[in-house]
Amino acid sequence: MIIDADTHFLPPDVYDYLGPEFEALRPRLTWDDSGLLVDVQFPGEPPRVPGATPLPPPGTGSRYRGTYYIEERLADYDKLGIEKQFLFPQLTATVFSYLVEPRLATAMAHSWNLSILNLLKRYPDRLIGGALVALQDVDGAIAEMEWAAANGFRAVIMDKVFPVHEHCYSDPLGNHRELWPFFKRAEELGMPLFLHNIQHGHRITNLLNYQFNGLDVLAPQEGQMSLVSLVTSGLLDDFPDLKFVFTEAGVGFIKPLVSHLDSVFNNEIVDYESEDAAPRFNYRKLEGGKRIVSVDDYKPKNKQAPSHYFRKNLFFTIETEEAELPEAVNLFGASQFLFATDYPHDDPGGRMKYKDVQLLAANPDISDADKALIRSGNAERLLAPVRPAAA
């Protein structure tokens, strides 16, 4: 058994269920004579954020009919030797984001979910549903998650970051405390939260400092910063059974990131003006100099070393060709990693989709038992039917 934990799909009826209230605002898809998506017009599109650089639809992978037509997609998966797949939207083409007007965004998410529910009923043994929610409306997102859990969806799909109208740089999810009720309900339902780039273009490399002479390599990765915020905000201490799956980023970054986070865990915040500060110098923890917010806002809130949460609450989809994969498995345990192809994308994360099964099977540095967990065991456990949606 193999379960693909990162795939993308855009059913042609994706926005046919918004209802008359949103008919004038709904996205409109244009198809060519061969049945491929060529354009998306969105009358309800939010105002452009100056400096942001969103990717235009239809997005990578749009030339594959399996992106849109389920029977052809399942035939592809038969050739790949993969029995089950977790469905993400073809996110660039959905033109959905947390910037869309909340009521319209909630209706768009529900229309996607209804379209996918129709497919789950037709192919319950082949497809696993992830529900889209509009986090700009927290109460609506909770209601949609509860509806999804009651209708057989196994997880919720979220952006890795929280884009905002005020600037062209994305916010880390852990900085948005208004989301805590949503996270609390997800924990109660046992709903894992899959993190994937949805609104591309809100990124720190839009800052001109990083646009010259290769300096972009020094820019922080927004998704990684948001991932760390789930730890340092104290979210996973408040909701210790919450599970996140961080997708389409590989695993090579995990070891150096966690090593650095653990090395500064519990470092005392030092007052820059203190006479005895020099012997305890730590550039990250200086109370003076860098800090322009309150000490309480500035300091991390996690009670355990960051590596604790990476081994307990955080899961990652793999890139089978990554040389660092065996090391990550040995360091954090095979239990934290899920097989993925990124079908049908042609970007670096999806380029190996027709070889991923063979590459994992042939890896001599991962045991057969660990390969079995990565192929399906972890996903079966993580995506088991959710708990009853009691209020």
Side-chain angles (χ1 to χ4, degrees):
M1 166 73 75
I2 300 178
I3 298 174
D4 190 345
D6 180 17
T7 84
H8 298 272
F9 188 60
L10 186 75
D13 67 343
V14 60
Y15 289 135
D16 286 355
Y17 308 104
L18 270 74
E21 179 181 358
F22 299 105
E23 181 60 31
L25 298 174
R26 57 168 284 181
R28 304 187 186 283
L29 284 55
T30 301
W31 308 84
D32 67 13
D33 292 340
S34 61
L36 299 180
L37 183 68
V38 294
D39 190 29
V40 180
Q41 296 296 318
F42 185 17
E45 180 182 14
R48 292 295 180 97
V49 177
T53 54
L55 299 177
T60 180
S62 59
R63 64 187 178 89
Y64 293 98
R65 285 179 58 84
T67 305
Y68 318 108
Y69 306 107
I70 194 64
E71 288 78 12
E72 296 181 49
R73 182 186 188 88
L74 293 177
D76 280 349
Y77 269 79
D78 289 339
K79 295 174 185 176
L80 292 172
I82 298 174
E83 290 85 354
K84 291 186 177 183
Q85 55 184 286
F86 179 87
L87 295 177
F88 282 96
Q90 173 74 343
L91 290 158
T92 303
T94 63
V95 294
F96 171 88
S97 81
Y98 301 155
L99 299 175
V100 176
E101 189 279 322
R103 291 176 63 252
L104 174 59
T106 296
M108 290 170 65
H110 190 60
S111 187
W112 152 266
N113 294 336
L114 287 171
S115 178
I116 296 304
L117 180 60
N118 292 336
L119 298 177
L120 298 179
K121 291 177 178 178
R122 287 167 57 191
Y123 301 102
D125 297 328
R126 302 295 303 273
L127 305 178
I128 302 171
L132 200 59
V133 299
L135 284 181
Q136 59 268 60
D137 175 6
V138 174
D139 290 341
I142 292 171
E144 189 69 18
M145 176 169 57
E146 291 175 339
W147 173 89
N151 281 277
F153 286 79
R154 304 294 181 82
V156 169
I157 295 166
M158 295 171 49
D159 202 335
K160 288 182 178 179
V161 297
F162 201 100
V164 295
H165 293 278
E166 290 77 14
H167 56 73
C168 63
Y169 317 112
S170 53
D171 282 353
L173 290 167
N175 289 5
H176 282 262
R177 304 282 305 187
E178 74 275 12
L179 301 179
W180 257 234
F182 174 83
F183 292 132
K184 180 177 185 292
R185 191 67 179 123
E187 181 190 50
E188 291 170 348
L189 292 171
M191 278 286 239
L193 305 175
F194 276 62
L195 304 180
H196 196 291
N197 287 334
I198 292 179
Q199 172 60 34
H200 294 269
H202 274 64
R203 46 196 171 204
I204 196 66
T205 50
N206 292 335
L207 186 63
L208 287 178
N209 294 28
Y210 295 110
Q211 284 292 308
F212 300 96
N213 304 313
L215 292 176
D216 63 297
V217 299
L218 298 175
Q221 295 289 315
E222 291 84 357
Q224 292 178 21
M225 189 160 65
S226 193
L227 176 71
V228 172
S229 79
L230 304 177
V231 173
T232 59
S233 65
L235 174 69
L236 298 176
D237 295 291
D238 290 345
F239 310 114
D241 291 328
L242 202 55
K243 309 295 185 187
F244 288 92
V245 180
F246 196 72
T247 67
E248 209 167 304
V251 302
F253 75 95
I254 303 175
K255 179 183 176 181
L257 176 63
V258 175
S259 177
H260 176 63
L261 293 173
D262 275 2
S263 73
V264 298
F265 175 62
N266 267 345
N267 277 5
E268 180 184 358
I269 292 179
V270 179
D271 184 353
Y272 189 76
E273 304 297 331
S274 172
E275 291 182 2
D276 64 346
R280 297 175 292 146
F281 179 81
N282 181 291
Y283 77 94
R284 181 181 180 275
K285 294 293 185 178
L286 290 178
E287 183 178 331
K290 287 199 313 177
R291 182 178 61 80
I292 59 174
V293 297
S294 72
V295 172
D296 187 59
D297 286 337
Y298 185 78
K299 65 183 180 181
K301 314 297 189 298
N302 48 299
K303 298 176 182 178
Q304 305 281 346
S307 55
H308 166 81
Y309 309 95
F310 276 77
R311 292 186 171 95
K312 179 176 183 288
N313 304 93
L314 305 178
F315 301 78
F316 302 85
T317 61
I318 67 168
E319 308 285 349
T320 55
E321 70 275 17
E322 270 195 308
E324 298 89 348
L325 178 58
E327 181 181 45
V329 169
N330 289 332
L331 185 61
F332 295 97
S335 61
Q336 304 311 111
F337 301 102
L338 307 177
F339 179 87
T341 68
D342 195 26
Y343 177 99
H345 288 175
D346 290 318
D347 57 10
R351 197 166 292 152
M352 304 303 294
K353 56 183 169 289
Y354 295 113
K355 298 181 181 179
D356 281 326
V357 172
Q358 292 80 8
L359 284 172
L360 180 60
N363 195 314
D365 299 317
I366 302 176
S367 72
D368 289 342
D370 285 346
K371 288 175 182 175
L373 288 175
I374 293 169
R375 287 188 186 109
S376 64
N378 298 330
E380 287 180 317
R381 183 182 73 253
L382 196 63
L383 296 168
V386 299
R387 295 191 281 272

